Amino acid sequence: MLVADISLVNLRFDGRRLVRREPAAPTLIVVGLPPQHVREEVPGKQDSTADPPGSLEAFTSGVSQLVFSVPPEVESLDLSLTSLLDWERLVPMTVPLLQPGVPASGLPGSVLEFPTRLFLTYDEPVTWTCRPEPHDADGRTGLWHALLNGERGGEALLRALRRAEGRPPVPAHVPLTEANLEDLVTLTSRTELIDADKAPIPLPSAPLRAEQFVATPLGASAHLHGAWDDVSPDAKEQFRTLMRRSPELVAYDHITGLGRDQFVRVVTRGCLSLGHPALLVSEFKRLFVAHKDDGVVAYLQREDRILPREPEVHYGEGTGFPNQGREMPFRVLRITDRVTPPLKPVWPPRPLDRPDAQPQATEPFWVELEGGGDHQFTVLATDHEGRKVSFTTPLVFVPDSRTEDWKALNDLHTSDETKERKRLERPLHGQVMAMAQPPADAPGSTAHAVGELVFTLVRKEAGGGHPLAGMLVVSSAEVRVPALEPFAPEAGDVSVEFDPVYRARGMAAHPARAYLDLKKAVGLDFAAEKAGGLARPNAEVKVITSQAGVVPDMFRTGPTGAVEAADMRDVAKAFDGAKLLGLVDLSALLAPVTTEHLGRLKQLGDAEIQNLLDDAEGVIPAPVLRVRDLADGTGRELRYVWKTKLQKPQPASPDEVFLLDVTRAVLTLDARTAIAKDGGQKTSVEGRLRNVALVIGGVVRVDIADLRFRAVPGNKPDVSASGLEMRFLGELRFIDTLRSALPADAFGSGAYVDVQPWGIRTGYALALPTIGIGVFSLANVSLKAELTIPFDPGKAISFRFSVSERQRPFNVTVSLFGGGGYFSLLVDAAGGIEVEGAIEFGGGAALNLGVASGGVSIMAGVRFEVRDRSVKVGGYLRCNGFLSVLGIVTVSVEFYLELTYEKHAGGSVVRGRGTLTVSVKIAFFSKSVSLELERSFPGAPGDPSFVDCFDEETHWKDYCLSFDGAP
C-alpha cells in the first residue's frame, strides 16, 4: 500500500545507523512519489437516453519529488522505513524564489506535479504528516497517505513553477487548458515583467491555497483554490510589447479524490461586446448517470455561465467612439442579468504537436445557450434625456487576452451575414427614446417611438477608454416620424440613419440642426384638393431636424464636413414630377438657396415661420414638416409649410405652345393637420401663387397677380384670384385694338374670370353686331378666346380660340352672291390639338313671270377638321333649281357632288359621292327619283398584298414560268 523512491544525500550507513558523510554539508532525504493526478477528457452532455461516450483519453502526471532536510540536531537516523517516513522532524525544502541577478543555490527542492503538467512548490514553510507504519483495522490495511499542512497547521500555500513542456499534446476537451496552466504560473510565481527599456512592472500575485492535499500512491486527494486581482493596463501593454499573452484567470478551484477530478472551477475575465466586464465561469463536475445498458457511469460534465462584473457601462466623449459617441444614442447601458443559464461550451483550439507550441486561449464567441440559440441579455438603456428603454440582445464574450484582437471580433460579427444581421437587429416595440442630444432650447425634439435599432461594429479610436478593439454603435433604426404620417400614411416605421454632418461635427454644425436621415426618401403624396391646384408638390423629404422638422436632402458639405450651401440638384430631384399649374416641372423653377437662407432653418420657430410668410421677400428655403402640441392640450398639430421664389426656366423649345413666366413668382404652401387625443384629424390647407404669367403660342398672355386656395374641414374649398388679365400679342393684337375702338357694350359679356373648386376659366367673348351697307351685309361674327386651368392633376391646361362657331357661322352677302364660315382652334399642355373650320361661297337668282316662276342657286364650300391625329378635308358643290306653272305643275332638280380626303392612324382614303334628285308634282300627285353614286380609293395601307393577288394552286406555277421558263 506504499510506493515511494527514497534517495539519501550526504548520508552513509555505519553498520548500525545512517550518519552524515560531511558534517557541514546539507543532508537531504529525497522521496519520489507516483503520479498524483490524472487528466481526463470531458465528453459531451450525458443523460439516460444518450449513448455512453465509450473510451475517453486520459493522461497521468509525472512523478512528484519531496525533498526533506535533516536538521543539525538530528545526528543520525535508523535505516528503517519508520525512521525515513518520520517527516515531522524533517524540514521540507522548497524551490527558492530567485530574484533577478541572484544565482541558484543548486540544492534540489520539492516539486509536486499537480495538476498534470503543472509543477508546484511551497510558497511558505509547510509540514508533512504521515503514518510511519501500516494502519490496520478490521483485517484491512489502509492506503498510505501523507497530509500537507501549513506552518501552523492551516492551509498550505503553493506556487507554480512552470508548465511541463515537450510532452505529447493532450485532448482539447479537458478541464484545465494549457492557457490556464500558464496563467497559474504567471499569477503565483511572484515574478515581474522585465523590459530592458522600462522599469519592472509588478503583476497581481497570490499563492494557491491548499485546504487539503493528501499524497497517496494512487494520486492526491486535494482541494486547491486561488483568486487574483485584475492585471493593470500598464502590465497588459507590457505583455503585448513582449509578445506574450496577458493572464485572464480570476479564480481557480480544484477538488480531486485519489488523483481523479471531482470538481474543477475555472473563472476567466473578459468583456461582453457592449463593453461590460464579465466573468466566464466554467465548472467541471463528475456526475453519475444511469444508462439503460451500461448501468451507472460517471463522467466529467462541463457547465459554463457568464456573470457580468460591472452591469453598468457609460458612453460618451473619450470612450473611443469614432465620432465622440454621437453614433450611440445611449449614455448608459445596464445589463440586468445576474448570471446566464448554462451555455454551450466553447473549447480552445487543440494544442499544436510541438514542444515549443504556445498555449491557445479561448477565442471570442457568441453567448449561446446549452440547448441551442443565443442567450438574450436584457439591457436597460438610458438615453440623452435620462429616459429609460429596455431591449434584449445577444452578445459576444471576449476573453481578456483577446480584447485588442479586432480581426477576431469583426469576423464574429460578419462571418454569417444573414445570421449576424438578425443578431444585430434589436426590436424596441415602439418605446420612445431620444436618438440624439436635443438642443437646450428644444427639449424632446429628438425623441421618437423606435421600432428597431440596428447595431454595427466599428473600430475603436486610439486612446479610447472602451475595453475592446471594436465598439457596437447604432448604424440605423426603424422609427416613427409623426410629421410624416398625415402626408404618407403608409410610412409607419421608417428606416433612418444618422446624418453625416451630425455624426462628424455635431448637431450645431448643421444649418437645420439635423440629426437623422431617412434611408429612403419619403414622398409627400398631396391630392389636388390639398394643394389648391397651385402645385403638385409630391416632394421627397429625407432629413430629420430638431428645429425645422423634416426637410428634403438639400445640404452640400465641403471638404471639412461643414455645410456650405444647398445643392439645388438634390432639391430639384426631390421635386421631380411636381407640376406648377399642372404645366411646368416645379424642379426646373426652384431658385438657388443661399447659406444665409439655410441659416434660418436653425431658428425656425412658429413666430419666425409666420414672419417669413408675411414678409414679401422672405423665404422658407425647404419644405418643412413640423409637429407640436396644441396650446390647449387637446392634441397635436402637424404642419407642412414652404415658401419659395421661382426662377425663369431654361429656354423653351420653339415648338412649345405654353410658356410660364415666373420671373417674379412666389409660391407658398401651408397645410395644418390637427390630431385630437381621440385620434380624429382635421386638415386645413392654404396655398398662394403670386406674380405668375402664362404665354400661349406667343399670341396670348394671361397675368395672375394673386391666386389663393383655402380648404377648411366642413366647408367647400375657397378659391380666389385677383389681378387676372388676358392680353393678345402678335397677330391677334387687333383684338385688343378692336376692343378699345368699339363701345364697351358692343362685346356682350366681354372679359370674364370664373374661379371654381375644379379650376379657373378666363377669357374674352367678343360678338360683333350685324353690319349692313347697301348690298353688303355681315352678320353673326364673334371672336372668343378662353384659357382653362384645371386643378385636377389628370387634366392639362387648355386654350381655345374661335371665329364664330359651327352651330352659328358668320354670313357675308353682296347682291346675288354670298357665303360664310367658322374657325376653331383648341390646344392643351398635354400636346393635344383640335382644329376645325369651313368656308362656303356661291350665288342665286329667282324669276317670276306671273304664269310661271322659278329660281336657281349654286353653292360650293370647303371643310377641314384635325382631331386626335386624324385629318379630314372635303369639298362640295350643290346646285338646285325649280319651276312652277300656275301652281299646278312643279318641277325641282338638285345636284350634289362631294369629294373628301380622310387620314387616320391606320391609313388614308379618298371618297367621292354624287346625288341627283328630280321631283315632279302635278296637282295632287307627286313623284321623286334619286340617283346616287359613291366611290372610294384607299391609300397605300389599303392596297392588296402580293399574296392576295395570286392563288398558289392555279396561278403560282404560271407566274414562275413567265420568268425565262424557270420552274
Side-chain angles (χ1 to χ4, degrees), residues 413 416-425 454:
H413 287 81
D416 185 337
E417 183 177 352
T418 301
K419 185 175 182 180
E420 309 315 338
R421 184 173 64 248
K422 291 182 178 179
R423 281 170 162 162
L424 297 174
E425 296 173 351
V454 180

Side-chain angles (χ1 to χ4, degrees), residues 376-591:
Q376 301 291 332
F377 288 87
T378 300
V379 179
L380 185 64
T382 304
D383 69 5
H384 293 275
E385 295 186 292
R387 192 182 292 106
K388 296 186 183 298
V389 298
S390 64
F391 59 93
T392 61
T393 180
L395 296 174
V396 169
F397 179 81
V398 183
D400 197 60
S401 61
R402 305 298 297 275
T403 55
E404 297 299 324
D405 192 340
W406 159 253
K407 182 179 183 305
L409 189 60
N410 186 56
D411 289 347
L412 268 180
H413 287 81
T414 57
S415 58
D416 185 337
E417 183 177 352
T418 301
K419 185 175 182 180
E420 309 315 338
R421 184 173 64 248
K422 291 182 178 179
R423 281 170 162 162
L424 297 174
E425 296 173 351
R426 307 320 309 153
L428 262 70
H429 307 292
Q431 298 179 83
V432 177
M433 58 170 284
M435 292 298 294
Q437 175 70 49
D441 57 347
S445 59
T446 63
H448 295 269
V450 180
E452 181 180 80
L453 290 178
V454 180
F455 290 87
T456 191
L457 189 73
V458 298
R459 195 157 193 165
K460 179 184 70 173
E461 289 288 299
H466 194 75
L468 299 178
M471 310 180 71
L472 285 175
V473 300
V474 174
S475 60
S476 62
E478 300 285 331
V479 305
R480 295 189 74 85
V481 183
L484 287 177
E485 295 176 2
F487 305 97
E490 75 285 354
D493 287 347
V494 294
S495 295
V496 298
E497 57 190 0
F498 288 109
D499 182 83
V501 176
Y502 163 76
R503 191 171 56 241
R505 300 170 60 87
M507 192 182 300
H510 197 281
R513 292 180 177 174
Y515 59 99
L516 290 178
D517 287 349
L518 300 176
K519 295 181 71 174
K520 182 179 180 181
V522 173
L524 306 181
D525 189 9
F526 279 82
E529 67 274 9
K530 285 192 175 182
L534 304 182
R536 289 282 292 163
N538 297 340
E540 292 183 340
V541 291
K542 187 175 182 181
V543 181
I544 302 175
T545 73
S546 64
Q547 188 70 18
V550 189
V551 298
D553 183 14
M554 56 183 297
F555 305 98
R556 186 177 69 241
T557 57
T560 63
V563 176
E564 295 181 344
D567 193 333
M568 297 311 297
R569 292 173 299 177
D570 289 339
V571 178
K573 183 179 179 181
F575 289 91
D576 188 24
K579 298 288 186 180
L580 184 66
L581 296 176
L583 178 64
V584 179
D585 283 338
L586 186 59
S587 59
L589 305 177
L590 298 178

Side-chain angles (χ1 to χ4, degrees), residues 6-191:
I6 299 178
S7 301
L8 305 177
V9 177
N10 197 31
L11 287 172
R12 64 181 180 82
F13 184 60
D14 62 358
R16 292 181 305 156
R17 297 174 63 85
L18 293 171
V19 297
R20 288 182 171 83
R21 292 180 182 275
E22 298 182 8
T27 303
L28 306 175
I29 297 177
V30 181
V31 180
L33 298 178
Q36 295 296 301
H37 184 250
V38 178
R39 198 175 191 182
E40 297 180 41
E41 184 181 9
V42 180
K45 201 74 173 178
Q46 297 294 311
D47 55 41
S48 59
T49 61
D51 294 331
S55 60
L56 298 172
E57 291 188 78
F59 292 79
T60 61
S61 65
V63 299
S64 293
Q65 173 182 279
L66 303 182
V67 179
F68 299 93
S69 173
V70 180
E73 60 269 17
V74 179
E75 296 180 355
S76 63
L77 298 171
D78 290 336
L79 184 55
S80 65
L81 189 58
T82 301
S83 177
L84 295 177
L85 294 180
D86 186 8
W87 295 345
E88 291 188 25
R89 60 176 178 163
L90 303 179
V91 179
M93 299 289 292
T94 184
V95 175
L97 181 65
L98 298 180
Q99 299 297 329
V102 177
S105 63
L107 296 177
S110 299
V111 177
L112 299 170
E113 185 174 341
F114 184 94
T116 302
R117 301 195 176 184
L118 182 67
F119 298 124
L120 303 178
T121 190
Y122 320 129
D123 192 59
E124 290 184 356
V126 298
T127 61
W128 284 94
T129 302
C130 63
R131 289 179 179 271
E133 297 178 353
H135 174 64
D136 296 324
D138 299 329
R140 295 185 176 90
T141 301
L143 183 67
W144 177 88
H145 56 277
L147 177 63
L148 177 65
N149 295 300
E151 186 177 18
R152 296 178 179 84
E155 296 177 341
L157 302 183
L158 305 174
R159 56 185 171 89
L161 295 171
R162 59 182 177 86
R163 292 184 301 114
E165 297 178 350
R167 299 184 187 179
V170 299
H173 297 185
V174 292
L176 285 168
T177 65
E178 295 299 309
N180 297 149
L181 300 181
E182 183 184 46
D183 286 353
L184 287 172
V185 174
T186 304
L187 296 172
T188 65
S189 59
R190 298 191 182 185
T191 59

